[in-house]
Amino acid sequence: ARIGSWELGLAGQKILWSDMVHTLHETDPLSFVPDLETGMSFYREDFRDMVAHNVRECAETGKPFDFEAIIVTAKGNERWVRSIG
């Protein structure tokens, strides 16, 4: 398994991605700086509402999430990912 980690700072909606998360998204960790909006945009459109709902509910209530969804990488490749928060 290729396991990455990420952190979300709610105040500025900044996201820190590990090198493996950048690898999964096919982005360059030296030049690509994600934020919440761009991070969410990698999820395939039919998954975005579900992902946004889970992240928002976690931020507002502390309810954990654990889901699988498809991302579309910076190079246009689709990948199933599991997100836990």
Side-chain angles (χ1 to χ4, degrees):
R2 298 187 316 171
I3 299 172
S5 62
W6 51 272
E7 292 180 34
L8 171 61
L10 294 177
Q13 297 192 351
K14 298 290 182 190
I15 298 177
L16 298 174
W17 284 356
S18 68
D19 287 344
M20 181 51 69
V21 173
H22 278 284
T23 298
L24 291 168
H25 286 79
E26 299 183 322
T27 56
D28 181 355
L30 299 176
S31 62
F32 181 79
V33 181
D35 58 23
L36 183 58
E37 183 178 339
T38 57
M40 297 290 273
S41 72
F42 279 96
Y43 286 97
R44 200 171 70 186
E45 192 169 345
D46 54 325
F47 287 93
R48 288 184 196 156
D49 286 343
M50 179 273 295
V51 173
H53 170 77
N54 279 279
V55 171
R56 184 175 46 254
E57 189 171 44
C58 181
E60 292 174 358
T61 70
K63 180 181 176 184
F65 60 80
D66 183 346
F67 60 81
E68 293 183 1
I70 294 175
I71 61 168
V72 179
T73 72
K75 295 181 179 180
N77 298 307
E78 288 191 356
R79 294 199 169 129
W80 278 97
V81 297
R82 180 178 182 195
S83 295
I84 302 170

XYZ file of all heavy atoms in Angstrom:
681
model
N 0.841 -1.180 0.000
C 0.000 0.000 0.000
C 0.879 1.234 0.000
O 1.937 1.260 0.624
C -0.911 0.002 1.215
N 0.412 2.234 -0.683
C 1.121 3.517 -0.694
C 0.337 4.439 0.230
O -0.737 4.906 -0.114
C 1.226 4.053 -2.109
C 2.025 3.091 -2.972
C 2.333 3.575 -4.347
N 1.230 4.214 -5.038
C 1.359 4.861 -6.184
N 2.529 4.949 -6.756
N 0.323 5.399 -6.767
N 0.873 4.691 1.396
C 0.167 5.453 2.422
C 0.808 6.824 2.584
O 2.013 6.931 2.804
C 0.175 4.694 3.769
C -0.526 3.350 3.593
C -0.477 5.535 4.854
C -0.411 2.434 4.782
N -0.011 7.843 2.468
C 0.441 9.205 2.678
C -0.274 9.806 3.866
O -1.184 9.204 4.430
N 0.145 10.987 4.237
C -0.524 11.690 5.331
C -0.714 13.145 4.939
O -0.014 13.678 4.078
C 0.285 11.580 6.622
O 1.555 12.194 6.465
N -1.701 13.752 5.573
C -1.985 15.155 5.308
C -2.505 15.798 6.582
O -3.004 15.129 7.477
C -2.992 15.328 4.172
C -4.243 14.512 4.341
C -4.461 13.227 3.929
C -5.449 14.922 4.999
N -5.717 12.818 4.277
C -6.352 13.835 4.942
C -5.854 16.086 5.636
C -7.629 13.894 5.489
C -7.121 16.141 6.177
C -7.998 15.057 6.094
N -2.350 17.100 6.671
C -2.878 17.882 7.784
C -3.623 19.071 7.208
O -3.174 19.685 6.245
C -1.750 18.413 8.671
C -1.009 17.358 9.427
C 0.095 17.948 10.281
O -0.074 19.080 10.799
O 1.127 17.283 10.428
N -4.757 19.386 7.818
C -5.560 20.532 7.391
C -5.603 21.548 8.507
O -6.007 21.234 9.621
C -6.990 20.088 7.043
C -8.024 21.182 6.782
C -7.609 22.052 5.601
C -9.390 20.564 6.542
N -5.154 22.772 8.223
C -5.270 23.878 9.167
C -6.554 24.619 8.868
O -6.682 25.271 7.835
N -7.527 24.498 9.757
C -8.849 25.065 9.479
C -8.836 26.590 9.390
O -9.578 27.162 8.605
C -9.848 24.613 10.540
C -10.149 23.115 10.538
C -11.090 22.763 11.685
C -10.750 22.689 9.212
N -8.007 27.244 10.169
C -8.007 28.710 10.186
C -7.710 29.284 8.795
O -8.429 30.135 8.305
C -7.007 29.233 11.200
N -6.667 28.805 8.142
C -6.315 29.321 6.827
C -6.645 28.376 5.705
O -6.365 28.659 4.549
N -7.247 27.239 6.048
C -7.600 26.194 5.090
C -6.388 25.746 4.277
O -6.493 25.420 3.105
C -8.765 26.620 4.204
C -10.024 26.864 4.992
C -11.251 26.992 4.123
O -11.180 27.059 2.912
N -12.394 27.011 4.754
N -5.230 25.753 4.932
C -4.005 25.271 4.303
C -3.871 23.783 4.558
O -4.225 23.292 5.620
C -2.779 25.994 4.859
C -2.779 27.484 4.606
C -2.573 27.776 3.143
C -2.538 29.273 2.927
N -2.569 29.641 1.551
N -3.350 23.076 3.586
C -3.149 21.640 3.697
C -1.664 21.346 3.524
O -1.014 21.911 2.642
C -3.948 20.875 2.621
C -5.446 21.099 2.789
C -3.631 19.390 2.674
C -6.289 20.428 1.725
N -1.159 20.484 4.380
C 0.201 19.982 4.229
C 0.109 18.538 3.774
O -0.556 17.727 4.424
C 0.951 20.058 5.558
C 1.155 21.444 6.151
C 1.780 21.340 7.531
C 2.026 22.286 5.233
N 0.732 18.219 2.648
C 0.730 16.874 2.107
C 2.111 16.260 2.276
O 3.131 16.921 2.050
C 0.425 16.895 0.613
C -1.002 17.122 0.235
C -2.072 17.244 1.062
C -1.511 17.238 -1.099
N -3.217 17.427 0.325
C -2.899 17.424 -1.004
C -0.926 17.196 -2.347
C -3.700 17.565 -2.121
C -1.723 17.347 -3.459
C -3.107 17.530 -3.350
N 2.138 14.974 2.622
C 3.403 14.247 2.630
C 3.843 14.014 1.180
O 3.062 14.194 0.233
C 3.235 12.906 3.352
O 2.406 12.038 2.590
N 5.096 13.607 1.022
C 5.594 13.334 -0.324
C 4.756 12.254 -1.016
O 4.521 12.325 -2.226
C 7.061 12.916 -0.279
C 7.994 14.086 0.012
O 7.564 15.254 -0.119
O 9.158 13.827 0.360
N 4.283 11.256 -0.247
C 3.480 10.186 -0.865
C 2.140 10.717 -1.366
O 1.651 10.291 -2.411
C 3.253 9.037 0.116
C 2.442 7.889 -0.484
S 3.040 7.253 -2.084
C 4.558 6.464 -1.575
N 1.538 11.656 -0.647
C 0.274 12.242 -1.121
C 0.530 13.000 -2.423
O -0.261 12.913 -3.364
C -0.382 13.128 -0.041
C -1.593 13.861 -0.594
C -0.781 12.286 1.166
N 1.642 13.721 -2.493
C 1.998 14.384 -3.758
C 2.188 13.345 -4.863
O 1.732 13.549 -5.993
C 3.269 15.224 -3.601
C 3.037 16.561 -3.013
N 2.494 17.610 -3.710
C 3.272 17.030 -1.759
C 2.415 18.667 -2.934
N 2.873 18.339 -1.738
N 2.837 12.226 -4.540
C 3.038 11.170 -5.535
C 1.699 10.628 -6.019
O 1.487 10.460 -7.219
C 3.894 10.029 -4.942
O 5.180 10.555 -4.604
C 4.048 8.876 -5.916
N 0.776 10.371 -5.090
C -0.549 9.864 -5.463
C -1.301 10.841 -6.360
O -2.033 10.438 -7.256
C -1.375 9.556 -4.213
C -0.896 8.362 -3.385
C -1.605 8.334 -2.039
C -1.119 7.067 -4.143
N -1.139 12.148 -6.105
C -1.824 13.172 -6.890
C -1.027 13.593 -8.133
O -1.494 14.391 -8.925
C -2.093 14.410 -6.023
C -3.194 14.230 -5.044
N -3.037 13.555 -3.858
C -4.483 14.632 -5.075
C -4.175 13.552 -3.191
N -5.074 14.193 -3.920
N 0.186 13.068 -8.258
C 1.084 13.410 -9.353
C 1.356 14.911 -9.419
O 1.292 15.536 -10.478
C 0.561 12.860 -10.690
C 0.460 11.351 -10.692
C 0.029 10.735 -12.000
O -0.857 11.323 -12.685
O 0.563 9.682 -12.350
N 1.664 15.466 -8.258
C 2.046 16.873 -8.151
C 3.484 16.957 -7.640
O 4.007 16.018 -7.050
C 1.120 17.635 -7.186
O 1.130 16.988 -5.902
C -0.305 17.703 -7.718
N 4.114 18.084 -7.851
C 5.491 18.317 -7.420
C 5.486 18.970 -6.043
O 4.998 20.097 -5.898
C 6.191 19.225 -8.425
C 7.630 19.518 -8.083
O 8.112 19.107 -7.000
O 8.303 20.160 -8.906
N 6.024 18.302 -5.025
C 6.004 18.881 -3.681
C 6.823 20.161 -3.551
O 6.621 20.924 -2.612
C 6.574 17.770 -2.793
C 7.314 16.870 -3.704
C 6.657 17.000 -5.051
N 7.703 20.422 -4.500
C 8.513 21.639 -4.445
C 7.800 22.852 -5.033
O 8.124 23.986 -4.690
C 9.848 21.423 -5.163
C 10.736 20.320 -4.579
C 11.981 20.142 -5.429
C 11.088 20.620 -3.132
N 6.812 22.620 -5.894
C 6.155 23.759 -6.539
C 4.639 23.821 -6.323
O 4.048 24.879 -6.500
C 6.450 23.753 -8.041
O 5.929 22.587 -8.643
N 4.009 22.712 -5.957
C 2.556 22.706 -5.782
C 2.221 22.831 -4.305
O 2.621 21.999 -3.492
C 1.953 21.416 -6.337
C 0.449 21.366 -6.215
C -0.356 22.041 -7.121
C -0.150 20.682 -5.176
C -1.738 22.013 -7.003
C -1.534 20.639 -5.044
C -2.323 21.318 -5.963
N 1.497 23.897 -3.958
C 1.087 24.134 -2.577
C -0.435 24.044 -2.517
O -1.133 24.953 -2.964
C 1.559 25.524 -2.078
C 1.143 25.740 -0.636
C 3.070 25.661 -2.232
N -0.963 22.933 -1.974
C -2.419 22.766 -1.959
C -3.083 23.598 -0.863
O -2.458 23.954 0.134
C -2.586 21.272 -1.670
C -1.387 20.925 -0.851
C -0.274 21.782 -1.390
N -4.333 23.927 -1.092
C -5.195 24.460 -0.040
C -6.460 23.609 -0.073
O -6.556 22.671 -0.864
C -5.481 25.958 -0.217
C -6.132 26.308 -1.542
O -6.759 25.421 -2.165
O -6.027 27.459 -1.962
N -7.410 23.909 0.790
C -8.595 23.063 0.868
C -9.326 22.995 -0.473
O -9.705 21.913 -0.929
C -9.538 23.555 1.972
C -10.784 22.709 2.206
C -10.417 21.275 2.549
C -11.631 23.314 3.311
N -9.493 24.122 -1.123
C -10.231 24.154 -2.391
C -9.539 23.339 -3.474
O -10.174 22.533 -4.155
C -10.414 25.600 -2.863
C -11.235 25.721 -4.123
C -11.446 27.168 -4.550
O -11.311 28.076 -3.713
O -11.743 27.372 -5.739
N -8.231 23.519 -3.641
C -7.542 22.759 -4.682
C -7.461 21.272 -4.317
O -7.566 20.418 -5.191
C -6.130 23.303 -4.970
O -5.367 23.308 -3.766
C -6.186 24.686 -5.562
N -7.310 20.976 -3.034
C -7.301 19.583 -2.604
C -8.613 18.898 -2.926
O -8.637 17.758 -3.420
N -9.712 19.574 -2.670
C -11.034 19.016 -2.962
C -11.244 18.860 -4.463
O -11.947 17.941 -4.895
C -12.131 19.894 -2.372
C -12.089 20.001 -0.868
S -12.549 18.493 -0.068
C -14.292 18.709 -0.011
N -10.644 19.724 -5.251
C -10.865 19.672 -6.699
C -10.256 18.428 -7.342
O -10.610 18.084 -8.462
C -10.330 20.936 -7.374
O -8.907 20.943 -7.377
N -9.352 17.741 -6.648
C -8.795 16.507 -7.185
C -9.796 15.356 -7.134
O -9.667 14.399 -7.895
C -7.526 16.097 -6.422
C -6.301 16.835 -6.879
C -5.868 17.956 -6.199
C -5.590 16.406 -7.985
C -4.741 18.637 -6.604
C -4.452 17.086 -8.406
C -4.029 18.209 -7.709
N -10.769 15.429 -6.234
C -11.767 14.360 -6.192
C -12.625 14.442 -7.442
O -13.007 15.535 -7.881
C -12.648 14.469 -4.943
C -11.916 14.040 -3.703
C -11.323 14.975 -2.870
C -11.802 12.694 -3.361
C -10.624 14.585 -1.731
C -11.113 12.300 -2.233
C -10.525 13.250 -1.420
O -9.839 12.861 -0.306
N -12.904 13.287 -8.006
C -13.763 13.264 -9.192
C -15.092 13.917 -8.839
O -15.586 13.787 -7.724
C -13.954 11.823 -9.681
C -14.400 11.754 -11.127
C -14.374 10.355 -11.648
N -15.444 9.587 -10.995
C -15.618 8.282 -11.157
N -14.796 7.580 -11.916
N -16.609 7.667 -10.546
N -15.664 14.622 -9.775
C -16.839 15.457 -9.523
C -17.968 14.724 -8.811
O -18.611 15.282 -7.922
C -17.340 16.066 -10.836
C -18.350 17.159 -10.621
C -18.645 17.921 -11.891
O -17.896 17.823 -12.873
O -19.667 18.630 -11.882
N -18.204 13.476 -9.147
C -19.311 12.752 -8.524
C -19.044 12.378 -7.062
O -19.949 11.927 -6.364
C -19.691 11.509 -9.338
C -18.524 10.575 -9.617
O -17.396 11.060 -9.802
O -18.748 9.355 -9.661
N -17.842 12.609 -6.563
C -17.511 12.345 -5.161
C -17.395 13.624 -4.326
O -17.340 13.564 -3.103
C -16.186 11.574 -5.055
C -16.295 10.144 -5.472
C -16.015 9.765 -6.776
C -16.668 9.169 -4.563
C -16.109 8.442 -7.167
C -16.766 7.841 -4.943
C -16.486 7.480 -6.246
N -17.325 14.775 -4.951
C -17.007 16.018 -4.231
C -18.011 16.392 -3.152
O -17.610 16.842 -2.072
C -16.838 17.174 -5.212
C -15.570 17.056 -6.000
C -15.356 18.236 -6.906
N -14.349 17.889 -7.902
C -14.232 18.463 -9.063
N -15.069 19.435 -9.412
N -13.295 18.083 -9.902
N -19.291 16.260 -3.408
C -20.287 16.610 -2.380
C -20.135 15.737 -1.148
O -20.184 16.230 -0.019
C -21.714 16.505 -2.923
C -22.081 17.631 -3.870
O -21.379 18.669 -3.868
O -23.060 17.474 -4.619
N -19.925 14.448 -1.349
C -19.749 13.534 -0.226
C -18.489 13.879 0.561
O -18.496 13.929 1.788
C -19.673 12.092 -0.740
C -19.472 11.027 0.336
S -17.745 10.675 0.782
C -17.090 9.990 -0.728
N -17.407 14.148 -0.137
C -16.149 14.491 0.522
C -16.304 15.794 1.294
O -15.929 15.889 2.470
C -15.000 14.584 -0.506
C -13.730 15.115 0.146
C -14.756 13.239 -1.164
N -16.879 16.810 0.669
C -17.070 18.107 1.334
C -17.933 17.960 2.576
O -17.632 18.561 3.618
C -17.685 19.108 0.360
N -18.991 17.174 2.482
C -19.867 16.955 3.638
C -19.084 16.325 4.792
O -19.185 16.776 5.936
C -21.048 16.073 3.249
C -21.852 15.611 4.416
N -22.760 16.429 5.067
C -21.849 14.426 5.091
C -23.291 15.760 6.079
N -22.757 14.542 6.107
N -18.307 15.300 4.503
C -17.540 14.620 5.549
C -16.505 15.537 6.191
O -16.367 15.568 7.416
C -16.867 13.363 4.990
C -17.793 12.191 4.924
O -18.027 11.520 5.916
N -18.342 11.928 3.749
N -15.784 16.291 5.390
C -14.757 17.188 5.921
C -15.400 18.312 6.733
O -14.943 18.648 7.828
C -13.876 17.746 4.783
C -12.945 18.836 5.285
C -13.088 16.618 4.130
N -16.473 18.877 6.218
C -17.165 19.963 6.931
C -17.705 19.473 8.273
O -17.539 20.123 9.308
C -18.284 20.529 6.060
C -19.012 21.729 6.672
C -20.045 22.364 5.726
N -20.902 21.395 5.062
C -20.801 21.043 3.775
N -19.864 21.562 3.004
N -21.637 20.166 3.247
N -18.353 18.299 8.277
C -18.909 17.757 9.513
C -17.811 17.464 10.531
O -17.967 17.719 11.730
C -19.722 16.494 9.213
C -20.496 15.990 10.404
C -21.453 14.879 10.036
O -21.061 13.963 9.277
O -22.597 14.931 10.508
N -16.684 16.968 10.069
C -15.559 16.707 10.965
C -15.044 18.012 11.568
O -14.801 18.094 12.774
C -14.437 15.997 10.206
S -13.004 15.605 11.219
N -14.904 19.041 10.734
C -14.409 20.329 11.217
C -15.372 20.978 12.209
O -14.948 21.585 13.195
C -14.177 21.272 10.035
N -16.671 20.838 11.966
C -17.671 21.501 12.810
C -17.990 20.731 14.084
O -18.274 21.336 15.115
C -18.952 21.725 12.002
C -18.789 22.750 10.895
C -20.014 22.862 9.991
O -20.999 22.115 10.192
O -19.975 23.698 9.068
N -17.985 19.408 14.025
C -18.439 18.618 15.175
C -17.378 17.682 15.742
O -17.575 17.115 16.811
C -19.662 17.757 14.803
O -19.253 16.712 13.904
C -20.761 18.597 14.182
N -16.299 17.481 14.999
C -15.275 16.544 15.426
C -15.571 15.105 15.047
O -14.808 14.201 15.387
N -16.676 14.885 14.322
C -17.037 13.530 13.900
C -15.981 13.010 12.923
O -15.700 13.640 11.909
C -18.410 13.521 13.237
C -18.846 12.146 12.770
C -20.209 12.190 12.103
C -20.571 10.800 11.562
N -21.842 10.831 10.836
N -15.397 11.847 13.205
C -14.385 11.313 12.295
C -15.000 10.843 10.974
O -16.192 10.598 10.893
C -13.805 10.130 13.070
C -14.846 9.753 14.059
C -15.644 10.999 14.357
N -14.144 10.734 9.961
C -14.595 10.183 8.685
C -13.615 9.135 8.196
O -12.447 9.113 8.583
C -14.827 11.264 7.627
C -13.620 12.097 7.280
C -12.648 11.616 6.413
C -13.466 13.359 7.800
C -11.540 12.389 6.083
C -12.362 14.151 7.476
C -11.398 13.657 6.611
N -14.114 8.270 7.350
C -13.328 7.209 6.738
C -14.085 6.819 5.467
O -15.141 6.208 5.541
C -13.210 6.025 7.709
C -12.347 4.890 7.177
O -12.044 4.873 5.961
O -12.005 4.003 7.982
N -13.571 7.217 4.309
C -14.268 6.931 3.060
C -13.273 6.617 1.955
O -12.088 6.930 2.072
C -15.177 8.105 2.646
C -14.451 9.394 2.417
C -13.797 9.656 1.216
C -14.432 10.376 3.399
C -13.134 10.855 1.002
C -13.768 11.582 3.197
C -13.122 11.814 2.005
N -13.775 6.008 0.896
C -13.009 5.782 -0.317
C -13.651 6.594 -1.433
O -14.875 6.700 -1.500
C -12.980 4.302 -0.678
C -12.196 3.468 0.319
C -12.110 2.002 -0.076
O -12.648 1.626 -1.144
O -11.501 1.249 0.684
N -12.806 7.155 -2.279
C -13.301 7.975 -3.383
C -12.257 7.971 -4.493
O -11.117 7.560 -4.291
C -13.571 9.412 -2.909
N -12.659 8.449 -5.634
C -11.749 8.529 -6.775
C -11.217 9.958 -6.895
O -11.982 10.920 -6.837
C -12.456 8.119 -8.082
C -12.830 6.642 -8.022
C -11.568 8.395 -9.299
C -13.642 6.155 -9.206
N -9.884 10.053 -7.051
C -9.278 11.339 -7.389
C -8.855 11.293 -8.854
O -8.668 10.217 -9.428
C -8.055 11.678 -6.512
C -6.936 10.651 -6.676
C -8.462 11.860 -5.056
C -5.602 11.070 -6.082
N -8.738 12.467 -9.441
C -8.170 12.607 -10.777
C -6.868 13.370 -10.581
O -6.862 14.506 -10.113
C -9.120 13.357 -11.731
C -8.482 13.490 -13.104
C -10.469 12.660 -11.815
N -5.757 12.727 -10.906
C -4.450 13.307 -10.632
C -4.173 14.511 -11.526
O -4.911 14.775 -12.492
C -3.335 12.261 -10.857
O -3.198 12.020 -12.263
C -3.619 10.975 -10.096
N -3.083 15.195 -11.222
C -2.682 16.349 -12.028
C -2.400 15.956 -13.474
O -2.494 16.789 -14.375
C -1.449 17.012 -11.412
N -2.105 14.675 -13.691
C -1.844 14.180 -15.049
C -3.064 13.521 -15.677
O -2.984 12.928 -16.743
C -0.670 13.204 -15.028
C 0.632 13.875 -14.635
C 1.785 12.899 -14.633
C 3.071 13.611 -14.247
N 4.214 12.679 -14.248
N -4.226 13.620 -14.984
C -5.469 13.114 -15.548
C -5.753 11.643 -15.283
O -6.689 11.091 -15.857
N -4.974 11.009 -14.432
C -5.196 9.605 -14.103
C -6.174 9.475 -12.945
O -6.142 10.280 -12.013
C -3.866 8.933 -13.734
C -2.899 8.945 -14.891
O -3.214 8.509 -15.982
N -1.703 9.463 -14.649
N -7.041 8.466 -12.998
C -7.971 8.222 -11.906
C -7.375 7.200 -10.949
O -6.785 6.195 -11.382
C -9.316 7.703 -12.434
C -10.103 8.772 -13.135
C -11.542 8.351 -13.426
O -11.917 7.190 -13.159
O -12.298 9.203 -13.929
N -7.553 7.481 -9.636
C -7.068 6.574 -8.598
C -8.064 6.524 -7.463
O -8.609 7.560 -7.052
C -5.744 7.076 -8.023
C -4.628 7.047 -9.009
C -3.296 7.102 -8.310
N -2.266 6.820 -9.287
C -1.205 7.552 -9.490
N -0.992 8.608 -8.743
N -0.321 7.221 -10.396
N -8.292 5.321 -6.955
C -9.075 5.169 -5.731
C -8.166 5.507 -4.563
O -7.024 5.044 -4.500
C -9.575 3.740 -5.583
C -10.811 3.443 -6.364
C -10.880 2.858 -7.591
C -12.152 3.737 -5.987
N -12.188 2.751 -8.000
C -13.002 3.290 -7.025
C -12.735 4.317 -4.861
C -14.378 3.409 -6.975
C -14.113 4.445 -4.812
C -14.915 3.995 -5.853
N -8.669 6.334 -3.645
C -7.940 6.653 -2.415
C -8.847 6.476 -1.230
O -10.079 6.574 -1.343
C -7.360 8.093 -2.439
C -6.341 8.281 -3.549
C -8.473 9.121 -2.555
N -8.266 6.220 -0.100
C -9.011 6.157 1.158
C -8.575 7.335 1.996
O -7.380 7.603 2.146
C -8.703 4.852 1.897
C -9.446 4.723 3.205
C -9.149 3.413 3.876
N -9.893 3.268 5.113
C -9.610 2.358 6.022
N -8.614 1.503 5.826
N -10.321 2.293 7.123
N -9.542 8.069 2.526
C -9.245 9.234 3.364
C -9.831 9.000 4.754
O -10.980 8.596 4.891
C -9.857 10.507 2.767
O -9.241 10.799 1.534
N -9.002 9.267 5.744
C -9.402 9.112 7.142
C -9.069 10.413 7.858
O -7.989 10.960 7.694
C -8.646 7.944 7.796
C -8.889 6.637 7.032
C -9.030 7.798 9.265
C -7.987 5.494 7.466
N -10.009 10.882 8.636
C -9.770 12.137 9.367
C -10.586 12.200 10.626
O -11.504 11.444 10.850
